[in-house]
Coordinates of all heavy atoms in Angstrom, one line a residue:
M1 N -15.9 -3.3 -5.2 CA -14.5 -2.9 -5.6 C -13.9 -2.1 -4.5 O -14.7 -1.3 -3.8 CB -14.4 -2.1 -7.0 CG -14.6 -3.1 -8.1 SD -13.3 -4.3 -8.3 CE -12.1 -3.3 -9.2
A2 N -12.6 -2.1 -4.4 CA -12.0 -1.2 -3.4 C -10.6 -0.7 -4.1 O -10.2 -1.3 -5.0 CB -11.5 -2.1 -2.1
K3 N -10.2 0.4 -3.5 CA -8.9 0.9 -4.1 C -8.0 1.1 -3.0 O -8.3 1.6 -1.9 CB -9.2 2.3 -4.8 CG -8.1 2.8 -5.6 CD -8.2 4.1 -6.0 CE -8.9 4.1 -7.4 NZ -9.0 5.5 -8.0
I4 N -6.7 0.6 -3.2 CA -5.7 0.7 -2.1 C -4.7 1.7 -2.7 O -4.4 1.7 -3.9 CB -4.9 -0.7 -1.9 CG1 -6.0 -1.7 -1.6 CG2 -3.9 -0.5 -0.8 CD1 -5.3 -3.1 -1.7
I5 N -4.4 2.7 -1.9 CA -3.4 3.7 -2.3 C -2.3 3.8 -1.5 O -2.5 3.8 -0.1 CB -4.2 5.0 -2.5 CG1 -5.4 5.0 -3.3 CG2 -3.2 6.3 -2.9 CD1 -6.4 6.1 -3.1
Q6 N -1.1 4.0 -2.0 CA 0.1 4.2 -1.1 C 0.8 5.5 -1.6 O 1.1 5.8 -2.7 CB 1.1 3.1 -1.2 CG 2.3 3.3 -0.3 CD 3.5 2.6 -0.6 OE1 3.8 2.3 -1.8 NE2 4.3 2.2 0.4
E7 N 1.0 6.4 -0.5 CA 1.8 7.6 -0.8 C 3.3 7.0 -0.6 O 3.8 7.1 0.5 CB 1.5 8.7 0.1 CG 0.1 9.2 -0.2 CD -0.1 10.3 0.9 OE1 0.4 11.5 0.8 OE2 -0.9 10.0 1.8
H8 N 4.0 6.6 -1.6 CA 5.1 5.8 -1.6 C 6.4 6.7 -0.9 O 7.1 6.2 -0.2 CB 5.5 5.4 -3.0 CG 6.8 4.5 -3.0 ND1 6.8 3.2 -2.7 CD2 8.1 4.7 -3.3 CE1 7.8 2.6 -2.7 NE2 8.7 3.6 -3.2
D9 N 6.4 8.0 -1.3 CA 7.5 8.8 -0.7 C 7.4 8.9 0.8 O 8.5 9.1 1.4 CB 7.3 10.3 -1.3 CG 7.7 10.3 -2.8 OD1 8.2 9.2 -3.3 OD2 7.5 11.3 -3.5
K10 N 6.3 8.8 1.4 CA 6.1 9.0 2.8 C 6.5 7.7 3.6 O 6.7 7.7 4.8 CB 4.6 9.3 3.1 CG 4.2 10.6 3.1 CD 2.9 10.7 3.9 CE 2.1 11.9 3.5 NZ 0.8 11.8 4.3
C11 N 6.6 6.6 2.8 CA 6.8 5.3 3.5 C 8.3 5.3 4.1 O 9.2 5.8 3.5 CB 6.9 4.2 2.4 SG 7.4 2.5 3.1
I12 N 8.4 4.9 5.4 CA 9.7 4.9 6.1 C 10.2 3.5 6.3 O 11.2 3.2 6.9 CB 9.6 5.5 7.5 CG1 8.5 4.9 8.4 CG2 9.4 7.1 7.4 CD1 8.6 5.3 9.8
G13 N 9.6 2.5 5.6 CA 10.0 1.1 5.5 C 9.9 0.3 6.8 O 10.6 -0.5 7.0
C14 N 8.9 0.6 7.6 CA 8.7 -0.1 8.8 C 8.4 -1.6 8.6 O 8.7 -2.3 9.5 CB 7.8 0.7 9.8 SG 6.1 0.0 9.7
G15 N 7.8 -1.9 7.6 CA 7.6 -3.3 7.3 C 6.3 -3.8 7.8 O 6.0 -5.0 7.6
S16 N 5.5 -3.1 8.6 CA 4.3 -3.6 9.1 C 3.3 -4.2 8.0 O 2.7 -5.1 8.2 CB 3.5 -2.6 10.0 OG 4.3 -2.2 11.1
C17 N 3.2 -3.4 7.0 CA 2.3 -3.8 6.0 C 2.6 -5.1 5.3 O 1.8 -6.0 5.1 CB 2.3 -2.7 4.8 SG 3.8 -2.3 4.2
V18 N 3.9 -5.4 5.1 CA 4.4 -6.7 4.6 C 4.1 -7.8 5.6 O 3.6 -8.8 5.3 CB 5.9 -6.7 4.3 CG1 6.4 -8.0 3.7 CG2 6.2 -5.4 3.1
A19 N 4.4 -7.5 7.0 CA 4.1 -8.4 7.9 C 2.7 -8.9 8.0 O 2.3 -10.1 8.3 CB 4.6 -8.0 9.3
L20 N 1.7 -7.9 7.8 CA 0.4 -8.1 8.1 C -0.4 -8.6 6.8 O -1.4 -9.2 6.8 CB -0.3 -6.8 8.5 CG 0.0 -6.4 10.0 CD1 -0.5 -5.0 10.1 CD2 -0.8 -7.3 10.9
C21 N 0.3 -8.2 5.6 CA -0.4 -8.4 4.3 C 0.5 -8.6 3.2 O 0.6 -7.9 2.3 CB -1.3 -7.2 4.1 SG -2.5 -7.3 2.7
S22 N 1.2 -9.8 3.2 CA 2.2 -10.1 2.2 C 1.6 -10.3 0.8 O 2.1 -10.3 -0.2 CB 3.1 -11.3 2.6 OG 2.2 -12.4 2.8
K23 N 0.2 -10.5 0.8 CA -0.6 -10.8 -0.4 C -0.4 -9.5 -1.3 O -0.4 -9.6 -2.5 CB -2.0 -11.0 0.0 CG -2.9 -11.2 -1.2 CD -4.4 -11.5 -0.7 CE -5.4 -11.3 -1.9 NZ -6.7 -11.2 -1.3
H24 N -0.4 -8.3 -0.6 CA -0.5 -7.0 -1.4 C 0.9 -6.2 -1.2 O 1.0 -5.3 -2.1 CB -1.6 -6.1 -0.8 CG -3.0 -6.6 -1.3 ND1 -4.1 -6.3 -0.3 CD2 -3.4 -7.2 -2.3 CE1 -5.1 -6.9 -1.0 NE2 -4.8 -7.5 -2.1
W25 N 1.8 -6.6 -0.4 CA 2.9 -5.7 0.0 C 4.2 -6.5 -0.1 O 4.3 -7.6 0.5 CB 2.6 -5.0 1.3 CG 1.4 -4.1 1.3 CD1 0.2 -4.5 1.7 CD2 1.4 -2.7 0.9 NE1 -0.6 -3.4 1.5 CE2 0.0 -2.4 1.0 CE3 2.3 -1.9 0.5 CZ2 -0.4 -1.1 0.8 CZ3 1.9 -0.6 0.1 CH2 0.5 -0.3 0.3
E26 N 5.2 -5.8 -0.5 CA 6.6 -6.4 -0.5 C 7.6 -5.2 -0.3 O 7.3 -4.1 -0.7 CB 6.9 -7.2 -1.8 CG 7.0 -6.4 -3.0 CD 7.1 -7.3 -4.3 OE1 7.1 -8.5 -4.1 OE2 7.4 -6.7 -5.4
M27 N 8.7 -5.6 0.3 CA 9.7 -4.6 0.4 C 10.5 -4.5 -0.9 O 10.7 -5.6 -1.6 CB 10.6 -5.0 1.6 CG 10.0 -4.9 3.0 SD 9.1 -3.4 3.4 CE 10.5 -2.3 3.6
T28 N 11.1 -3.4 -1.2 CA 11.9 -3.3 -2.4 C 13.3 -2.8 -2.1 O 13.6 -2.5 -0.9 CB 11.2 -2.3 -3.4 OG1 11.1 -1.1 -2.7 CG2 9.8 -2.8 -3.8
D29 N 14.0 -2.7 -3.1 CA 15.5 -2.2 -2.9 C 15.7 -0.8 -2.3 O 16.7 -0.6 -1.8 CB 16.3 -2.3 -4.3 CG 16.4 -3.8 -4.8 OD1 16.2 -4.7 -3.9 OD2 16.7 -4.0 -5.9
D30 N 14.7 0.0 -2.5 CA 14.8 1.3 -2.0 C 14.5 1.4 -0.4 O 14.4 2.4 0.2 CB 14.0 2.3 -2.8 CG 12.5 2.2 -2.7 OD1 12.0 1.2 -2.0 OD2 11.7 2.9 -3.3
G31 N 14.2 0.2 0.1 CA 13.9 0.2 1.6 C 12.5 0.5 1.9 O 12.1 0.7 3.0
K32 N 11.7 0.7 0.9 CA 10.3 1.0 1.2 C 9.4 -0.1 0.7 O 9.8 -1.0 0.0 CB 9.9 2.3 0.3 CG 10.7 3.5 0.8 CD 10.3 4.7 0.0 CE 11.3 5.9 0.4 NZ 10.6 7.2 0.4
A33 N 8.2 -0.1 1.0 CA 7.2 -1.1 0.6 C 6.6 -0.8 -0.7 O 6.3 0.4 -1.0 CB 6.1 -1.2 1.7
K34 N 6.2 -1.8 -1.4 CA 5.6 -1.6 -2.7 C 4.3 -2.3 -2.7 O 4.2 -3.4 -2.1 CB 6.6 -2.2 -3.7 CG 6.1 -2.2 -5.2 CD 7.2 -2.7 -6.0 CE 6.7 -3.0 -7.3 NZ 6.2 -4.3 -7.6
L35 N 3.4 -1.7 -3.3 CA 2.0 -2.3 -3.4 C 2.1 -3.2 -4.7 O 2.3 -2.7 -5.9 CB 1.0 -1.3 -3.5 CG -0.5 -1.6 -3.7 CD1 -1.0 -2.5 -2.5 CD2 -1.2 -0.3 -3.7
I36 N 2.0 -4.4 -4.6 CA 2.2 -5.4 -5.6 C 1.3 -5.2 -6.8 O 0.0 -5.0 -6.5 CB 2.2 -6.9 -5.1 CG1 3.3 -7.1 -4.0 CG2 2.3 -7.9 -6.3 CD1 3.1 -8.4 -3.2
N37 N 1.8 -5.1 -8.0 CA 1.0 -4.9 -9.2 C 0.3 -3.6 -9.2 O -0.7 -3.4 -10.1 CB -0.2 -6.1 -9.4 CG 0.6 -7.4 -9.7 OD1 1.7 -7.5 -10.3 ND2 -0.1 -8.5 -9.1
A38 N 0.6 -2.7 -8.5 CA 0.0 -1.4 -8.5 C 0.4 -0.4 -9.7 O 1.5 -0.7 -10.2 CB 0.2 -0.6 -7.2
E39 N -0.5 0.5 -9.9 CA -0.1 1.4 -11.1 C 0.4 2.7 -10.4 O -0.1 3.1 -9.3 CB -1.4 1.8 -11.7 CG -1.7 1.5 -13.1 CD -3.0 2.0 -13.6 OE1 -4.0 1.5 -13.4 OE2 -3.0 3.1 -14.1
K40 N 1.4 3.3 -11.1 CA 1.9 4.6 -10.4 C 1.1 5.7 -11.0 O 0.8 5.8 -12.2 CB 3.4 4.8 -10.9 CG 4.1 5.9 -10.1 CD 5.6 5.7 -10.3 CE 6.4 6.9 -9.7 NZ 6.0 7.6 -8.6
K41 N 0.5 6.4 -10.1 CA -0.2 7.7 -10.4 C 0.4 8.9 -9.7 O 0.1 9.1 -8.5 CB -1.7 7.5 -10.1 CG -2.4 6.4 -10.8 CD -3.7 6.8 -11.4 CE -4.3 5.8 -12.2 NZ -5.6 5.4 -11.7
G42 N 1.2 9.7 -10.4 CA 1.8 10.8 -9.7 C 2.8 10.2 -8.8 O 3.6 9.3 -9.1
D43 N 2.7 10.6 -7.5 CA 3.6 10.1 -6.5 C 3.0 8.9 -5.8 O 3.7 8.3 -4.9 CB 3.8 11.2 -5.3 CG 4.7 12.3 -5.8 OD1 5.4 12.1 -6.9 OD2 4.6 13.5 -5.4
N44 N 1.9 8.5 -6.1 CA 1.2 7.5 -5.4 C 1.2 6.2 -6.2 O 1.4 6.2 -7.4 CB -0.3 7.8 -5.1 CG -0.5 9.0 -4.2 OD1 0.5 9.5 -3.6 ND2 -1.7 9.4 -4.1
Y45 N 1.0 5.1 -5.6 CA 0.7 3.8 -6.2 C -0.7 3.4 -5.9 O -1.2 3.6 -4.8 CB 1.7 2.7 -5.6 CG 3.0 2.8 -6.3 CD1 4.0 3.6 -5.7 CD2 3.3 2.1 -7.5 CE1 5.3 3.7 -6.4 CE2 4.7 2.2 -8.1 CZ 5.6 3.0 -7.4 OH 6.8 3.2 -8.0
E46 N -1.5 2.9 -6.9 CA -2.9 2.6 -6.7 C -3.2 1.2 -7.3 O -2.6 0.9 -8.3 CB -3.7 3.6 -7.4 CG -3.7 5.0 -6.9 CD -4.7 6.0 -7.5 OE1 -5.6 5.5 -8.1 OE2 -4.5 7.2 -7.2
L47 N -4.0 0.5 -6.6 CA -4.4 -0.8 -7.0 C -6.0 -1.0 -6.8 O -6.4 -0.8 -5.7 CB -3.7 -1.9 -6.3 CG -3.9 -3.4 -6.6 CD1 -3.5 -3.7 -8.0 CD2 -3.3 -4.3 -5.6
E48 N -6.6 -1.4 -7.8 CA -8.1 -1.7 -7.6 C -8.1 -3.3 -7.3 O -7.6 -4.1 -8.0 CB -8.8 -1.4 -8.8 CG -8.9 0.1 -9.0 CD -10.2 0.6 -9.7 OE1 -10.9 -0.1 -10.2 OE2 -10.4 1.8 -9.6
V49 N -8.9 -3.6 -6.3 CA -9.1 -5.0 -5.9 C -10.6 -5.2 -5.5 O -11.4 -4.3 -5.3 CB -8.2 -5.4 -4.7 CG1 -6.8 -5.5 -5.0 CG2 -8.4 -4.4 -3.5
D50 N -11.0 -6.5 -5.6 CA -12.4 -6.8 -5.2 C -12.5 -6.5 -3.8 O -13.6 -6.0 -3.3 CB -12.6 -8.3 -5.5 CG -12.7 -8.5 -7.0 OD1 -13.1 -7.6 -7.7 OD2 -12.5 -9.7 -7.5
D51 N -11.5 -7.0 -2.9 CA -11.6 -6.8 -1.5 C -10.2 -6.4 -0.9 O -9.3 -7.1 -1.2 CB -12.0 -8.2 -0.9 CG -12.1 -8.2 0.6 OD1 -12.0 -7.2 1.3 OD2 -12.3 -9.3 1.1
A52 N -10.2 -5.3 -0.2 CA -9.0 -4.8 0.2 C -8.3 -5.7 1.4 O -7.1 -5.7 1.5 CB -9.1 -3.4 0.8
G53 N -9.2 -6.5 1.9 CA -8.8 -7.5 2.9 C -7.7 -7.1 3.9 O -7.9 -6.0 4.5
C54 N -6.6 -7.7 3.9 CA -5.6 -7.5 5.0 C -4.9 -6.1 4.7 O -4.3 -5.5 5.7 CB -4.5 -8.6 5.1 SG -3.7 -8.9 3.5
S55 N -5.1 -5.5 3.6 CA -4.5 -4.1 3.4 C -5.3 -3.1 4.4 O -4.7 -2.1 4.6 CB -4.6 -3.6 2.1 OG -3.6 -4.2 1.3
K56 N -6.4 -3.4 4.8 CA -7.1 -2.6 5.9 C -6.4 -2.6 7.2 O -6.2 -1.6 7.8 CB -8.6 -3.0 6.1 CG -9.5 -2.7 4.9 CD -10.9 -3.0 5.1 CE -11.2 -4.4 4.6 NZ -12.6 -4.8 4.7
E57 N -5.9 -3.8 7.6 CA -5.1 -3.7 8.8 C -3.7 -3.1 8.6 O -3.2 -2.4 9.5 CB -4.8 -5.3 9.1 CG -5.8 -6.0 9.9 CD -6.9 -6.6 9.0 OE1 -6.6 -7.5 8.3 OE2 -8.1 -6.2 9.1
A58 N -3.2 -3.2 7.3 CA -2.0 -2.6 7.0 C -2.0 -1.1 7.1 O -1.1 -0.5 7.7 CB -1.4 -3.0 5.6
A59 N -3.1 -0.6 6.6 CA -3.4 0.9 6.7 C -3.5 1.4 8.1 O -2.9 2.5 8.4 CB -4.7 1.2 5.9
E60 N -4.1 0.5 8.9 CA -4.2 1.0 10.3 C -2.9 0.9 11.0 O -2.5 1.7 12.0 CB -5.2 0.0 11.1 CG -6.6 0.4 10.8 CD -7.6 -0.6 11.4 OE1 -7.2 -1.4 12.4 OE2 -8.8 -0.6 10.9
A61 N -2.1 0.1 10.7 CA -0.8 -0.3 11.3 C 0.3 0.6 10.9 O 1.3 0.9 11.6 CB -0.4 -1.7 11.2
C62 N 0.2 1.1 9.7 CA 1.4 1.9 9.1 C 1.5 3.2 10.0 O 0.7 4.0 10.2 CB 1.0 2.4 7.7 SG 2.3 3.5 7.0
P63 N 2.8 3.4 10.5 CA 3.1 4.5 11.4 C 3.0 5.9 10.9 O 2.8 6.8 11.6 CB 4.5 4.1 11.9 CG 5.1 3.4 10.9 CD 4.0 2.6 10.3
V64 N 3.2 6.0 9.5 CA 3.1 7.3 8.9 C 1.9 7.5 8.1 O 1.8 8.4 7.3 CB 4.4 7.5 8.0 CG1 5.6 7.7 8.8 CG2 4.6 6.4 6.9
Q65 N 1.0 6.5 8.2 CA -0.4 6.6 7.6 C -0.3 6.9 6.1 O -1.0 7.8 5.5 CB -1.2 7.6 8.3 CG -1.4 7.2 9.7 CD -2.5 8.0 10.5 OE1 -2.6 9.1 10.2 NE2 -3.1 7.4 11.5
C66 N 0.6 6.2 5.3 CA 0.7 6.5 3.9 C 0.0 5.5 3.1 O 0.0 5.5 1.9 CB 2.2 6.4 3.5 SG 3.1 4.9 3.6
I67 N -0.8 4.5 3.8 CA -1.6 3.6 3.0 C -3.2 4.0 3.3 O -3.5 4.2 4.4 CB -1.5 2.2 3.6 CG1 0.0 1.7 3.4 CG2 -2.4 1.2 2.9 CD1 0.2 0.4 4.0
M68 N -3.8 4.1 2.2 CA -5.3 4.4 2.3 C -6.1 3.3 1.6 O -5.7 2.9 0.6 CB -5.5 5.9 1.6 CG -5.2 7.0 2.5 SD -4.7 8.3 1.5 CE -3.1 7.7 1.0
V69 N -7.2 3.1 2.1 CA -8.1 2.1 1.5 C -9.5 2.8 1.3 O -10.0 3.4 2.3 CB -8.3 0.8 2.4 CG1 -9.4 -0.1 1.8 CG2 -7.0 0.2 2.5
K70 N -9.9 2.7 0.1 CA -11.2 3.4 -0.2 C -12.1 2.2 -0.7 O -11.8 1.6 -1.7 CB -11.2 4.4 -1.3 CG -10.4 5.6 -0.8 CD -10.4 6.8 -1.9 CE -9.6 7.9 -1.5 NZ -9.3 8.9 -2.7
E71 N -13.3 2.2 0.0 CA -14.2 1.1 -0.3 C -15.5 1.6 -0.8 O -15.9 2.8 -0.4 CB -14.4 0.1 0.8 CG -13.2 -0.5 1.2 CD -13.3 -1.7 2.2 OE1 -13.7 -1.4 3.4 OE2 -13.1 -2.9 1.8
Ligands
F3S101 FE1 6.0 1.8 4.7 FE2 3.9 2.0 6.2 FE3 4.5 -0.3 5.1 S1 5.9 2.9 6.6 S2 6.7 -0.4 5.0 S3 3.9 1.6 4.0 S4 3.6 0.0 7.1

């Protein structure tokens, strides 16, 4: 299992996560990215998955490093 976490407030809406990993990420009306099907925990969004897959690339590409992957 892996956990994907986004510090949603920090997102500046650059869109790299969506470009690299549309399976897990989509842009929303607030101009930020949303982790699809994630649970809101405090200021963060969290999603447990079998394999973080392309979200690892998204985490590396995010310019404000607001995506974390824990495996
Ligand atoms: Fe936001 Fe980072 Fe994605 S700034 S749009 S979470 S690449």
Side-chain angles (χ1 to χ4, degrees):
M1 288 293 278
K3 192 185 273 187
I4 306 166
I5 302 165
Q6 183 202 30
E7 293 176 78
H8 188 76
D9 289 350
K10 275 199 199 171
C11 172
I12 56 167
C14 95
S16 296
C17 53
V18 178
L20 290 166
C21 194
S22 58
K23 178 181 168 193
H24 289 150
W25 299 90
E26 66 184 5
M27 296 307 291
T28 60
D29 292 345
D30 66 1
K32 300 184 183 208
K34 172 174 174 276
L35 183 53
I36 296 165
N37 292 330
E39 245 183 274
K40 191 160 171 36
K41 296 230 174 122
D43 291 334
N44 295 350
Y45 282 88
E46 296 189 8
L47 179 69
E48 294 210 343
V49 287
D50 288 338
D51 180 4
C54 54
S55 276
K56 287 184 267 187
E57 276 87 62
E60 281 173 22
C62 177
V64 293
Q65 300 186 332
C66 68
I67 301 171
M68 283 147 288
V69 174
K70 293 184 180 170
E71 297 188 293

